[in-house]
Amino acid sequence: MSGKHDLHSMKEVLEVVAEAGDGDQVSVDDAVKEIGDDAFAPLLLIPALIAVTPASGIPGLSAVCGIIIALISVQMVFRRECLWLPQFILRQSVSRSSLQKARDWMVKPARVIDWVTRKRLSFLVRYPFSIGPALFCLGAGLCMPFLEVIPFSASFMAGAVSLFALALVTEDGLLAVLAFGLIVAAGYFAWTTLV
């Protein structure tokens, strides 16, 4: 299924996801169908952004977002043409009102981020270099379920994944470099907290 939208900004991704489906609940499947199962970077951005918003306070939500991030990332590493997610993930849903609140919470930061992003160092987010960000996102996604016990650390990881995904969406390699720094900082924070 090819995507209905050609997404090149954070605001565009937020708007499309908030309007996905047609009921009171928006499922992962609705978002995938709306964006397209071949648009890996925007699909990676969605769970990462959800895990950064206040909605991440819902118990278990960061863990689910981390699993989705890991599943998308591993398929990016192996360069699958179409995304596959298990049915139990596709059935996960959130109320449309909660999703729209999260979208509204992100609108102002999205405008600022979209204003500063542009195509630069684009080779860093194109194959074969794009495997690097995908591997980092895979590692971050696998860590997120375990980081729920450490306040804010899962959100740090999700923030880094958001930057990586946005770097891929906008072809801004500088964002990928910043995301790498954020993941290193989050890993250091988690390590010093646990040790």
Side-chain angles (χ1 to χ4, degrees):
M1 175 199 330
S2 183
K4 301 177 185 177
H5 309 276
D6 189 20
L7 303 174
H8 295 290
S9 73
M10 184 172 169
K11 187 172 181 291
E12 289 172 351
V13 173
L14 291 171
E15 291 295 338
V16 167
V17 174
E19 301 305 320
D22 53 13
D24 293 334
Q25 295 286 121
V26 179
S27 69
V28 173
D29 191 43
D30 291 331
V32 171
K33 284 177 178 172
E34 187 66 26
I35 290 175
D37 61 6
D38 57 351
F40 284 84
L43 291 169
L44 183 65
L45 185 57
I46 298 163
L49 288 177
I50 289 171
V52 170
T53 68
S56 64
I58 299 170
L61 185 65
S62 291
V64 170
C65 288
I67 292 166
I68 295 171
I69 288 166
L71 285 170
I72 295 171
S73 299
V74 74
Q75 292 174 70
M76 289 174 71
V77 170
F78 290 105
R79 303 191 73 202
R80 276 184 58 93
E81 290 185 10
C82 295
L83 178 68
W84 173 86
L85 291 173
Q87 283 300 316
F88 81 92
I89 292 288
L90 291 171
R91 286 194 298 266
Q92 297 297 314
S93 65
V94 64
S95 71
R96 185 173 300 281
S97 61
S98 295
L99 193 59
Q100 289 174 340
K101 282 177 188 172
R103 186 257 328 259
D104 294 343
W105 187 83
M106 291 294 297
V107 162
K108 286 183 181 177
R111 284 189 189 128
V112 173
I113 290 167
D114 289 340
W115 183 70
V116 299
T117 55
R118 60 186 57 88
K119 287 188 180 184
R120 53 193 164 188
L121 302 176
S122 297
F123 70 93
L124 291 175
V125 289
R126 292 187 188 136
Y127 185 80
F129 296 102
S130 59
I131 292 175
L135 285 170
F136 281 117
C137 291
L138 173 60
L142 291 173
C143 290
M144 282 172 64
F146 303 101
L147 292 176
E148 277 205 345
V149 296
I150 305 170
F152 306 115
S153 55
S155 292
F156 271 119
M157 285 293 187
V161 172
S162 297
L163 287 177
F164 273 130
L166 193 59
L168 294 167
V169 168
T170 62
E171 295 186 38
D172 190 342
L174 183 59
L175 276 184
V177 174
L178 293 173
F180 175 72
L182 189 57
I183 281 186
V184 170
Y188 177 77
F189 174 74
W191 176 261
T192 54
T193 304
L194 290 171
V195 175

